[in-house]
Amino acid sequence: MIPGPFSYHRPATLADAVKLLSTLGDEARPLAGGHSLVPMMKLRLATPEHLVDLHGIDGLKGIRRDGNRIVIGAMTTQHELLASDEIAKSLPMLHETVLLIADPQVRYRGTIGGNVANGDPGNDMPALMLTLGASYRLEGTAGARDVAASEFYQGAYFTALEPGEILTSISIPAPAAGHGYAYEKLKRKVGDYATAAAAVVLTMSGGKVAGCAIGLTNLHETPLLAAEAARCVIGTSLDEATLKKAAAAAEAIMSPAADARGPVEYRKHVGGIMVTRALTRAAGRAS
Amino acid sequence: MNDMTPTREQREANLEGMGCKRKRVEDIRFTQGKGNYVDDLKLPGMLHGDFVRSPHAHARVKSINSDEALKVPGVLAVITAETLKTVNLAWMPTLAGDVQMVLADGKVLFQNQEVAFVVATDRYAADDGINKVQVEYEPLPVVIDPFKAMDADAPVLREDLAGKTTGAHGPRKHHNHVFEWTVGDKDLTDAAFRKAEVTVKEMISYHRTHPSPLETCQCVCSFDKIKGELTIWGTFQAPHVIRTVVALIAKIPEHKIHVISPDIGGGFGNKVGAYPGYICAAVASIVTGKPVKWVEDRIENLTATSFARDYHMTTEIASTKEGKVNGLRVHVLADHGAFDACADPSKWPAGFFNIVTGSYDFPVAHLSVDGIYTNKAPGGVAYRCSFRVTEAAYCIERGMDILAQKLGMDPAELRLKNFIKPEQFPYHSALGWEYDSGDYATAMRKMMESVDYAGLRKEQAAQRAAFNRGETREIMGIGVSFFTEIVGAGPSKNCDILGIAMFDSCEIRMHPTGAGIARVGSKSQGQGHETTWAQIIATEIGIPASDIMVEEGNTDTAPYGLGTYGSRSTPVAGAAIAMAARKIKAKAQMIAAYKLEVHEGDLEWDIDGFRVKGLPEKSMSMKDICWAAYNSVPPGMEPGLEAVSYYDPPNMTYPFGAYICVMNIDVDTGVYKVRRFYALDDCGTRINPMIIEGQVHGGLTEAFAIAMGQEIRYDDTGNVVTGSFMDFFMPTAVETPHWETDFTVTPSPHHPIGAKGVGESPNVGGVPAFSNAVNDAFSFLGSTHIQMPHDYWRNWRAAKNLGVFA
Ligand SMILES: Cc1cc2nc3c(=O)[nH]c(=O)nc-3n(C[C@H](O)[C@H](O)[C@H](O)COP(=O)(O)OP(=O)(O)OC[C@H]3O[C@@H](n4cnc5c(N)ncnc54)[C@H](O)[C@@H]3O)c2cc1C
């Protein structure tokens, strides 16, 4: 549990960081909170020769309203998300989910940018971003581009980030007024990644579901949008039969790995239960 | 009398003696980060060693090439089995009579086995060196399932034992067999089963787990070439034993070996045995002439040094239709991994597992244990346990529940019906122990009343009915456990380690001003000895506990002791402390008689000094006696006030307790919720109720972890899949249930202060309470036994297998 040798860089501007990353090449990695990267380095599963610390760059932090969107700087820590009134008011689901990440120590260091950029299927933020329809701003030597969260994840630890690119901010459309939401996460203990988790955002109209998005965490090598499951609840009052159908539709796209959290069959089964519980709880919150 | 004269109550309170909830004196430094642990030690020129470990569970080592590693800046040496052979240390003896490779000699037998030891100027360089050592392996077929280890065609694991049909504990019947151990009368037991009206039989497994103390195993070895002396600072629960073992295997005269255990961050049995790291660090220091530090990381700790349990217990009970037990038959398959590295008293290959008759009056019983080798880490140690007592208690407490279910009887009633009765003590068990004292029914009834047992059963019946009607997906379980432990190893007539009798010791020196120091052969790893030992002395000799300093862990200053594990400190060292104090008091009485000009027999003890019978104003305090001991002793008496006592206990002690756990389980997810846990402990005389409560809380938390998920699990190819705290269940305060504690007091009749020991009781009694709660929850669906650990997915699987999702 001792990392290999590496050099440490602390650029003061985004341009310097981008330049460093592109000249140092594959052996350089951005360092945010370090709470995913450093454990991997201690196990020597990651052996970057250069760490480019993003903490010295002004302007990568902060939460602001931009019209109908909430824009969050990549280096905003999970703790800062919890402390933000703007988040509590406009994105209560983000608040609820961040509280389920690890423990206060991790949340003081861990950043939202690192969480979504990491590409770890166990991280909770990515499925939430899919569900909320977020997009990521990526900046590299070739300039800036926006990529939808739904286009970002390609495989476990593989993302749309090109070498040298930095994820600078996350932009989330404010959910409709009166929306219902829930993040249901089954974990074995504080500090554990999800055995299965489901994110739901929905709107109700006349006792029936009008719109719905469902995201899934740690049930596939990437976060998933359970589109079919979401479709089958539209227009229903979430009766028992519909919930069952939605769970089955969600389970159909899950392909978790067997691990100490349980065999594949169990993880899919509880994945379905997380979907039904999240739907029910979200509906109860919608107005 | 003026107002300033303290009352008797004030004098009593001032002592902070036995029975006082004295705050832990060691916490003053621990809570300020001022403890002094092995890894805090930094010596000039100190080097760091770390291991190259095997990725394979079983493989031939074709070659080891260190050339590239030696080129890494800072790397000074790479030690292999070939190096160790030059000093005859490639293998080392285990405490269980086996031998163990220090470094891979020709093959590896478990994943993460030590293969080479890289020594460097700092820890980073050592790890860089590790990554450059090239080892060529040829994988061999593995044996992971203990039930397949003795198949005729099972791979041969221990080639070093080829042709050896006898091991340390008698005949070996297979190449992967370690020993067979039998106790009890087989014929009488078989006859009882033939005649029995009712019998039950179940294979009850206690899975493989690990003590996982917060601080891992570590040491610093420093060899002084000029003086020929070796100093070892280490995380040793038994420093004197380590000194003797080093003297025996390294051939250094014992007076030239200094073993020091500084503060220890938890042991739980993990730090009793000797590990390759200690040997390699010592050899590296001898070779380099510099101090060498070895510090295990978490993964190494979980995967290589001393697992616990892995006992597979086929349990049979015979009884009458009314539930009076009349026979117990147990066969154990004991998985020791690659080497039998148990840390039991030497003549006890399965520890004190023959306490398996528990708290019940079995007229006959028979036990057989087969130890076997597999491709897993060596052990198994007693994790917060007096040598397999945890396994035995789990076996009989599950067994009694299974019998109750078959008889259609309430499990608490069945236990009450079969308890050994107070008038039967001292009680001779069918498997050879003499229980010292107990009042089981009283403890059991107190527990039942405290939790309204009848009310809980009523609630459970209603919950089951609601479940059957489809109104809830939660089931409710009530887990009863009544354990009897055997602790305080132990009497020289049956306990030794490598031939050293398992006494313990204390030396007390009183200084002229009435303060003193007590040095003891035990070694606290968090148990609070510095607090409680002083309390015993305070009550015995009337000097305030705050004026007694307790010191342990330095073999140069402490009298020889066998260390702390198996709940032996209070039963053995605690007795030695009381006996040493009584020697002090006896001499003090002579001095007081001389000073007060009366006959010794005319004096009586009065809290903190002696007074003349019938003349209470004529008295002398212990503090004043201390002064007198150094300047005006009676003619012919040696000055000074010191005493040493070595205590060889006449018997073990037998603490007991009644525990109950109430739990709900959601069948859809397997998620459980512990609603209530009540633990009544009887550990005899209580020295410090606050420390007892703390010990019970800690032990229950470990029991909760073990029963509900904590395991060392291997996949089919021998990879450890739970090798870090991500997957090895270590509950936080959030998951840990609330504990209710209670007690009764049945003193030990043979112990000087009547104390029995409590550190391990909650782990011993807790696990069956949790497991019985889970099993009880599922029983109405038709299950008789579900194996531990009861983590979420296994609970779901149990529900599924019982047709809940049909
Ligand atoms: C004990 C523990 C438990 C945890 N439990 C959870 C949990 O339950 N749920 C959960 O979601 N997370 C969990 N985490 C992870 C935690 O939230 C991490 O902080 C987070 O995943 C990564 O954020 P970071 O800022 O620490 O990133 P880092 O570790 O610094 O970086 C992670 C990766 O992303 C890259 N990266 C970081 N920032 C950027 C950027 N701006 N642009 C491009 N690439 C970037 C890095 O190069 C690296 O490859 C846990 C962590 C620990 C240690």
Side-chain angles (χ1 to χ4, degrees):
Chain A
M1 296 232 240
I2 302 282
F6 59 87
S7 338
Y8 174 82
H9 309 264
R10 194 179 168 100
T13 66
L14 185 64
D16 285 350
V18 165
K19 203 162 114 207
L20 264 171
L21 286 169
S22 61
T23 48
L24 294 169
D26 275 357
E27 297 308 328
R29 292 277 282 275
L31 173 70
H35 270 53
S36 288
L37 183 55
V38 174
M40 300 279 270
M41 289 170 62
K42 285 184 164 188
L43 294 168
R44 300 203 183 206
L45 292 171
T47 50
E49 287 172 15
H50 301 274
L51 288 184
V52 179
D53 190 345
L54 305 182
H55 282 95
I57 304 170
D58 282 345
L60 283 183
K61 243 186 203 296
I63 299 159
R64 66 187 164 88
R65 187 87 191 194
D66 182 6
N68 205 23
R69 301 181 76 89
I70 295 102
V71 180
I72 306 172
M75 290 299 285
T76 308
T77 65
Q78 296 154 6
H79 171 74
E80 285 160 350
L81 294 174
L82 286 179
S84 156
D85 292 338
E86 179 65 51
I87 298 293
K89 191 165 73 196
S90 322
L91 287 168
M93 186 189 195
L94 181 58
H95 185 96
E96 171 170 311
T97 308
V98 171
L99 264 180
L100 295 172
I101 296 176
D103 48 48
Q105 288 97 318
V106 171
R107 297 195 294 258
Y108 275 122
R109 294 291 304 173
T111 66
I112 189 165
N115 196 301
V116 300
N118 194 26
D120 182 338
N123 279 358
D124 292 300
M125 289 295 117
L128 197 70
M129 296 304 145
L130 299 186
T131 311
L132 290 167
S135 69
Y136 304 150
R137 169 144 302 183
L138 314 181
E139 299 191 39
T141 39
R145 59 185 181 124
D146 290 313
V147 175
S150 57
E151 304 286 313
F152 187 75
Y153 299 98
Q154 300 170 344
Y157 303 100
F158 281 98
T159 67
L161 271 173
E162 293 293 337
E165 267 185 331
I166 291 172
L167 191 155
T168 53
S169 66
I170 295 163
S171 169
I172 305 169
H179 76 286
Y181 65 89
Y183 191 72
E184 284 285 339
K185 177 177 178 180
L186 179 67
K187 56 180 175 174
R188 297 166 298 179
K189 57 173 273 192
V190 163
D192 193 17
Y193 291 90
T195 301
V200 167
V201 177
L202 52 66
T203 50
M204 302 287 283
S205 162
K208 299 220 165 12
V209 179
C212 178
I214 304 174
L216 304 173
T217 296
N218 221 11
L219 290 162
H220 187 77
E221 60 167 346
T222 60
L224 293 176
L225 263 183
E228 184 54 39
R231 220 172 350 260
C232 68
V233 302
I234 305 277
T236 74
S237 56
L238 292 174
D239 53 290
E240 191 97 358
T242 304
L243 288 174
K244 273 212 168 107
K245 247 172 75 186
E251 282 178 49
I253 61 166
M254 298 174 191
S255 54
D259 64 14
R261 294 175 182 84
V264 171
E265 194 196 348
Y266 173 70
R267 296 188 62 185
K268 287 171 69 165
H269 170 81
V270 291
I273 291 173
M274 293 305 109
V275 168
T276 56
R277 289 185 181 174
L279 281 167
T280 310
R281 207 152 57 81
R285 275 172 167 162
S287 53
Chain B
M1 256 197 205
N2 69 38
D3 291 346
M4 299 301 282
T5 308
T7 64
R8 295 182 59 81
E9 287 72 29
Q10 285 166 336
R11 282 163 61 205
E12 196 68 72
N14 186 39
L15 294 181
E16 293 190 290
M18 284 196 279
C20 168
K21 294 184 181 179
R22 183 177 186 224
K23 286 202 177 142
R24 300 192 351 146
V25 294
E26 39 282 84
D27 287 348
I28 295 166
R29 64 178 189 277
F30 292 158
T31 55
Q32 297 183 69
K34 294 285 195 284
N36 177 34
Y37 298 89
V38 172
D39 204 18
D40 292 324
L41 192 70
K42 291 178 180 69
L43 299 179
M46 187 172 76
L47 305 176
H48 298 256
D50 206 348
F51 285 109
V52 175
R53 292 178 180 273
S54 168
H56 301 284
H58 194 197
R60 216 163 282 296
V61 176
K62 309 272 286 183
S63 66
I64 302 175
N65 184 332
S66 313
D67 295 348
E68 291 303 312
L70 288 166
K71 289 182 196 154
V72 172
V75 171
L76 300 177
V78 177
I79 293 173
T80 65
E82 295 312 311
T83 330
L84 293 179
K85 277 180 189 168
T86 62
V87 283
N88 214 6
L89 281 174
W91 292 68
M92 63 179 182
T94 72
L95 296 178
D98 198 358
V99 288
Q100 174 177 351
M101 286 181 213
V102 175
L103 290 171
D105 184 14
K107 71 192 294 204
V108 287
L109 286 160
F110 64 96
Q111 189 183 48
N112 278 359
Q113 185 178 333
E114 300 81 0
V115 174
F117 191 67
V118 177
V119 185
T121 48
D122 64 66
R123 187 101 202 255
Y124 291 85
D127 273 42
D128 292 345
I130 285 170
N131 282 280
K132 296 283 186 199
V133 175
Q134 287 154 0
V135 186
E136 195 189 340
Y137 297 98
E138 176 190 311
L140 296 169
V142 299
V143 181
I144 296 302
D145 181 351
F147 289 93
K148 295 190 177 140
M150 288 212 284
D151 286 355
D153 58 351
V156 177
L157 305 189
R158 292 288 298 275
E159 286 164 358
D160 61 301
L161 299 179
K164 288 204 178 139
T165 52
T166 308
H169 306 286
R172 300 171 63 225
K173 46 191 180 194
H174 181 277
H175 52 259
N176 293 332
H177 189 232
V178 191
F179 64 83
E180 181 179 10
W181 188 60
T182 59
V183 195
D185 192 319
K186 184 167 190 312
D187 293 341
L188 280 181
T189 307
D190 289 348
F193 274 86
R194 276 195 301 276
K195 283 186 288 187
E197 292 171 349
V198 179
T199 61
V200 288
K201 179 175 183 176
E202 190 67 54
M203 207 292 287
I204 299 168
S205 279
Y206 199 134
H207 58 286
R208 184 177 269 245
T209 180
H210 195 283
S212 50
L214 193 56
E215 177 202 36
T216 59
C217 297
Q218 32 199 276
C219 70
V220 175
C221 295
S222 181
F223 186 70
D224 182 328
K225 276 193 177 156
I226 312 290
K227 293 188 190 156
E229 292 183 12
L230 179 63
T231 306
I232 308 176
W233 293 262
T235 49
F236 307 130
Q237 292 180 232
H240 283 98
V241 176
I242 294 286
R243 188 184 69 191
T244 301
V245 169
V246 172
L248 292 173
I249 66 178
K251 306 275 186 286
I252 300 172
E254 198 165 348
H255 68 291
K256 296 201 168 190
I257 303 167
H258 316 285
V259 177
I260 298 159
S261 295
D263 284 330
I264 296 184
F268 311 113
N270 186 210
K271 296 168 178 170
V272 176
Y275 297 118
Y278 307 157
I279 307 277
C280 289
V283 170
S285 179
I286 292 169
V287 169
T288 61
K290 300 237 170 86
V292 177
K293 181 184 267 187
W294 170 68
V295 175
E296 206 182 34
D297 71 25
R298 181 61 57 192
I299 293 173
E300 293 174 299
N301 180 255
L302 286 173
T303 58
T305 50
S306 74
F307 77 94
R309 329 283 201 251
D310 217 341
Y311 253 39
H312 307 280
M313 312 172 286
T314 303
T315 311
E316 296 172 83
I317 303 178
S319 94
T320 66
K321 286 200 294 270
E322 291 75 37
K324 182 80 194 69
V325 297
N326 41 33
L328 174 69
R329 192 159 56 195
V330 180
H331 174 266
V332 180
L333 192 66
D335 186 342
H336 288 267
F339 309 97
D340 182 358
C342 285
D344 296 335
S346 296
K347 288 190 214 77
W348 300 87
F352 304 151
F353 189 85
N354 54 330
I355 192 72
V356 68
T357 51
S359 314
Y360 313 106
D361 189 12
F362 279 96
V364 293
H366 185 256
L367 163 67
S368 57
V369 183
D370 277 303
I372 49 139
Y373 293 120
T374 58
N375 290 118
K376 303 186 206 166
V381 301
Y383 168 7
R384 205 171 188 144
C385 160
S386 180
F387 317 115
R388 306 291 185 186
V389 174
T390 47
E391 291 89 326
Y394 183 61
C395 174
I396 188 63
E397 287 307 294
R398 268 307 294 137
M400 290 302 271
D401 262 29
I402 291 166
L403 176 64
Q405 193 180 350
K406 173 123 178 204
L407 291 166
M409 258 178 98
D410 182 274
E413 282 309 313
L414 178 70
R415 285 172 171 81
L416 281 164
K417 187 162 204 158
N418 288 290
F419 278 151
I420 299 161
K421 298 186 177 53
E423 61 273 18
Q424 286 176 282
F425 290 91
Y427 172 81
H428 292 265
S429 78
L431 293 177
W433 294 114
E434 183 189 306
Y435 293 31
D436 59 351
S437 63
D439 182 354
Y440 299 163
T442 300
M444 185 75 165
R445 292 220 167 85
K446 187 170 181 189
M447 177 273 274
M448 291 168 76
E449 275 160 32
S450 302
V451 300
D452 182 18
Y453 183 72
L456 285 172
R457 286 292 175 198
K458 259 192 221 131
E459 186 192 339
Q460 183 184 43
Q463 174 86 12
R464 286 174 172 179
F467 183 87
N468 286 334
R469 288 194 302 268
E471 291 164 14
T472 176
R473 297 295 281 168
E474 284 198 2
I475 53 178
M476 173 180 169
I478 302 168
V480 174
S481 156
F482 196 100
F483 65 95
T484 293
E485 277 194 280
I486 170 171
V487 307
S492 58
K493 61 178 184 254
N494 45 25
C495 292
D496 71 273
I497 287 184
L498 302 174
I500 304 162
M502 293 181 73
F503 55 81
D504 226 291
S505 59
C506 172
E507 179 207 76
I508 301 174
R509 289 186 190 174
M510 294 312 301
H511 309 320
T513 56
I517 181 168
R519 294 191 167 112
V520 189
S522 51
K523 174 61 205 167
S524 180
Q525 309 120 41
Q527 291 90 338
H529 291 176
E530 290 169 45
T531 308
T532 47
W533 291 167
Q535 288 183 260
I536 297 176
I537 296 169
T539 295
E540 290 287 343
I541 66 170
I543 291 288
S546 55
D547 289 342
I548 304 291
M549 184 167 95
V550 173
E551 197 184 270
E552 297 177 317
N554 185 334
T555 55
D556 284 344
T557 53
Y560 203 110
L562 274 283
T564 292
Y565 42 87
S567 284
R568 65 184 301 281
S569 300
T570 294
V572 192
I577 293 162
M579 299 310 270
R582 287 174 195 181
K583 288 185 188 176
I584 298 267
K585 192 171 165 184
K587 183 168 181 183
Q589 187 165 359
M590 289 191 253
I591 296 168
Y594 172 70
K595 299 294 284 185
L596 293 168
E597 299 177 328
V598 294
H599 192 270
E600 257 178 71
D602 296 331
L603 291 179
E604 62 185 2
W605 179 249
D606 179 36
I607 302 174
D608 51 11
F610 287 98
R611 66 181 178 200
V612 179
K613 286 179 194 162
L615 285 174
E617 65 286 353
K618 250 193 123 181
S619 65
M620 190 169 185
S621 73
M622 198 64 194
K623 195 171 151 77
D624 292 340
I625 297 172
C626 289
W627 186 258
Y630 287 89
N631 56 37
S632 54
V633 291
M637 182 187 271
E638 286 179 16
L641 197 54
E642 300 185 7
V644 181
S645 173
Y646 276 70
Y647 189 79
D648 180 6
N651 192 5
M652 307 280 188
T653 61
Y654 297 76
F656 57 93
Y659 290 3
I660 189 163
C661 171
V662 184
M663 188 188 291
N664 277 18
I665 301 171
D666 168 9
V667 292
D668 288 328
T669 56
V671 173
Y672 55 79
K673 183 166 173 18
V674 177
R675 292 170 39 192
R676 191 156 185 199
F677 198 104
Y678 167 95
L680 179 150
D681 277 282
D682 191 321
C683 57
T685 302
R686 293 155 57 83
I687 300 167
N688 182 328
M690 182 201 71
I691 286 197
I692 291 175
E693 203 171 293
Q695 290 289 307
V696 173
H697 285 192
L700 288 176
T701 305
E702 286 180 334
F704 165 67
I706 295 168
M708 305 314 288
Q710 189 175 83
E711 69 172 325
I712 296 292
R713 189 147 66 99
Y714 289 81
D715 68 13
D716 295 343
T717 55
N719 299 307
V720 188
V721 296
T722 53
S724 81
F725 280 170
M726 207 66 215
D727 289 315
F728 182 82
F729 180 49
M730 187 58 81
T732 70
V734 176
E735 291 78 41
T736 302
H738 173 71
W739 310 118
E740 297 169 57
T741 57
D742 205 345
F743 63 97
T744 54
V745 177
T746 312
S748 169
H750 63 77
H751 187 278
I753 59 171
K756 288 187 168 187
V758 77
E760 298 167 342
S761 301
N763 198 323
V764 173
V767 169
F770 285 109
S771 184
N772 280 346
V774 174
N775 276 286
D776 183 62
F778 282 109
S779 63
F780 80 112
L781 298 168
S783 110
T784 47
H785 178 67
I786 300 160
Q787 303 288 14
M788 291 192 291
H790 305 295
D791 50 358
Y792 295 163
W793 77 265
R794 286 180 176 94
N795 288 341
W796 162 81
R797 182 180 62 180
K800 182 166 168 275
N801 291 344
L802 292 166
V804 164
F805 302 111

